[in-house]
Amino acid sequence: MLKKYLFTFITCLFSITSISNEVSYEEMVNFIVKEQVISQQEQTMRDSMNSMLMMLGMEIESDELNDFLDPFIQEYLSSVEKKIPGLYKSVYSEKEITAMYNFMITEEGKSINSKQSQMIKETMAAISEDAMQVGQRISSALMENPQLLESLLE
């Protein structure tokens, strides 16, 4: 029985290792950037634009607006996509990139990654009121201390 579990463990370990060996380091980094950054930035950018335009009283669910915004968002994403791989390579070791890649191609990794935009959106909604209150308190404190405010403006 123990041999069976040990064999299963070694087989799983080998299959995970062999998956990442078939994919180059560059391909792993590009995959991670696309999945973790680009897909999430696109949604974040669209949400930000929609919020801004909604405050201006514009209809945010129109095809014309999406057609108008698409080239700007794609230009932004293209720029981001060129910068982020280098950042990942400078922050994470090759072992960490491999581990991240191996996790992200699992069902759990795909599921977690697909929920990141939702998590960020809900986190921002949960803390935005607190952030606004802190900003207002800082603004009031600066107004009550004109010498500090003046020294910051110099």
Side-chain angles (χ1 to χ4, degrees):
M1 187 67 142
L2 180 61
K3 286 182 184 180
K4 184 178 179 180
Y5 288 120
L6 187 57
F7 176 75
T8 304
F9 174 73
I10 291 171
T11 303
C12 288
L13 187 61
F14 177 73
S15 68
I16 289 173
T17 304
S18 66
I19 289 170
S20 64
N21 287 338
E22 295 172 8
V23 178
S24 75
Y25 176 65
E26 291 293 321
E27 290 171 319
M28 284 189 259
V29 170
N30 290 335
F31 174 81
I32 292 167
V33 168
K34 184 177 179 199
E35 294 299 313
Q36 280 195 333
V37 179
I38 301 304
S39 64
Q40 316 229 343
Q41 279 295 312
E42 181 171 6
Q43 190 58 49
T44 301
M45 186 66 131
R46 288 186 186 285
D47 291 344
S48 296
M49 293 285 193
N50 286 341
S51 295
M52 179 183 73
L53 295 172
M54 193 167 63
M55 284 191 284
L56 296 172
M58 294 184 182
E59 173 63 43
I60 62 169
E61 295 297 327
S62 74
D63 289 336
E64 291 103 17
L65 179 59
N66 285 327
D67 291 344
F68 173 77
L69 292 176
D70 278 346
F72 296 103
I73 292 173
Q74 293 310 314
E75 180 183 345
Y76 166 75
L77 294 174
S78 177
S79 174
V80 169
E81 195 169 20
K82 291 174 187 167
K83 295 175 183 176
I84 302 302
L87 182 60
Y88 267 71
K89 291 176 191 175
S90 70
V91 171
Y92 298 112
S93 71
E94 192 166 341
K95 278 185 171 183
E96 291 168 324
I97 292 287
T98 302
M100 195 181 315
Y101 174 82
N102 285 335
F103 173 70
M104 288 179 67
I105 61 174
T106 66
E107 288 305 312
E108 294 83 2
K110 290 174 186 174
S111 177
I112 288 170
N113 196 56
S114 72
K115 296 174 184 173
Q116 288 301 314
S117 292
Q118 176 186 356
M119 188 64 187
I120 291 168
K121 191 180 209 179
E122 290 183 23
T123 299
M124 295 307 291
I127 65 171
S128 66
E129 186 176 328
D130 295 332
M132 286 177 45
Q133 288 176 356
V134 167
Q136 290 170 346
R137 289 182 30 224
I138 290 171
S139 178
S140 295
L142 283 172
M143 292 301 155
E144 292 172 7
N145 191 341
Q147 293 162 337
L148 175 61
L149 182 60
E150 217 171 279
S151 71
L152 293 173
L153 296 174
E154 292 175 356

